[in-house]
């Protein structure tokens, strides 16, 4: 049995936020402020929690945060008008619209309306294209955070067989790209994949972004593999559970992320990193 390393997402994320804070403070000395605008439409309680956490992270990093809370009845045109105003505002470096949006608003239209230079979620089609090319300075937060977690294990990605379960636009696809850019050999699996268990079992690095509690079981994991659990599933008793059966898989894995305390905290840390990058790019400083 291998010695399993539990990857501490809270510690890595705190380190990244600390590094961001140092760089934000250096920008301040040059007279440059960093500012993130967050827009929340409606009163989804989970979204409220995420927005509050983003605000707290901004405070830790010395980033100014602006919050726009709009009613669930806000029209798409009203939301687009606010985005247009923030696009024009030179004091705003990053714009984030908290998803999901009410059903009468098109997420695609909203994402495409954000200035790509201020698109700190990196969801704009221009940024998605650049991510594919490997030329985007703004990286999709959850996959970028996962790359940091893998780096923290000091296990190189180059040459490794990487399996990503899930092909969503926000996690699975960009995750596969980032692993590919680090010279991993990447397989993307989804609900139509055949022989999923065998494919997973061949993985040196296995990323589960499925949205099904305890989907990845011990018999799907190679001895010593790095197992990254992206899933955030709320169980009936209110507790959080990942997509990986942690208790079963941890004794086999070489390194594994817990839920909570693994990938979750990294997403916000990378949002802070992206806001810093956007601020630097817009002010043409390195
Ligand atoms: P989606 O629902 O958009 O995608 C899920 C993916 O899993 C799809 O590609 C789907 O395949 C695939 N899938 C579903 N069932 C199976 C199956 N039986 N076998 C193989 N593949 C399957 O989810 P997201 O990518 O948005 O999120 C995934 C998880 O990560 C969720 O739990 C979410 O809460 C969490 N999450 C966590 C974040 C964090 O910060 N930690 C950030 C974002 C998400 P198909 O395409 O064929 O339908």
């Amino acid at each position: 049995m291998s010695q399993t390393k539990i990857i501490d997402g809270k510690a890595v994320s705190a380190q990244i936020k600390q590094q961001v804070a140092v760089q934000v403070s250096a920008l301040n000395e040059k007279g440059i402020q960093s500012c993130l605008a967050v827009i929340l439409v409606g009163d989804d309680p989970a979204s409220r929690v995420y927005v509050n956490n983003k605000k707290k992270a901004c405070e830790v990093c010395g980033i100014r945060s602006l919050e726009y809370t709009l009613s669930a009845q806000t029209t798409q045109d009203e939301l687009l008008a606010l985005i247009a105003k923030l696009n024009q505002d030179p004091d705003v470096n990053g714009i984030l619209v908290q998803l999901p949006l009410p059903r009468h608003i098109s997420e695609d239209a909203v994402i495409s309306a954000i200035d790509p230079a201020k698109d700190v979620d990196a969801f704009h089609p221009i940024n998605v294209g650049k991510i594919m090319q490997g030329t985007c300075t703004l990286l999709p937060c959850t996959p970028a955070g996962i790359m940091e977690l893998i780096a923290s294990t000091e296990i190189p990605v180059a040459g490794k067989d990487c399996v990503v379960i899930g092909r969503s636009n926000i996690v699975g696809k960009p995750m596969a790209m980032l692993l590919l850019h680090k010279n991993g050999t990447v397989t993307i699996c989804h609900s139509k994949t055949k022989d999923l268990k065998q494919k997973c079992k061949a993985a040196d690095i296995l990323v589960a972004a499925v949205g099904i509690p305890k989907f990845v079981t011990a018999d799907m994991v190679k001895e010593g593999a790095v197992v990254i659990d992206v899933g955030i599933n709320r169980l009936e008793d209110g507790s959080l559970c990942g997509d990986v059966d942690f208790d079963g898989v941890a004794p086999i894995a070489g390194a594994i992320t817990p839920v909570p305390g693994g990938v979750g905290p990294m997403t916000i840390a990378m949002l802070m990193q992206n806001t810093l990058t956007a601020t630097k790019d817009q002010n043409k400083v390195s």
Side-chain angles (χ1 to χ4, degrees), residues 142 166-168 171 190-191 209-212 215 230-233 263-264 267:
T142 302
R167 56 173 164 179
S168 69
V171 188
H190 46 79
S191 66
V210 194
I212 301 177
F215 181 82
V230 189
I232 304 178
N233 307 295
V263 175
T267 301

Side-chain angles (χ1 to χ4, degrees), residues 5 11 18 41 49 55 80 87 93 106 117 120 131 140-141 146 152 221 226 230 253 274:
K5 177 182 163 51
Q18 176 57 32
V41 186
V49 171
K55 216 159 131 183
L80 293 179
N87 281 343
N93 308 105
S106 155
V120 283
I131 289 160
C141 298
I146 292 170
S152 79
V221 176
V226 176
V230 189
N274 274 349

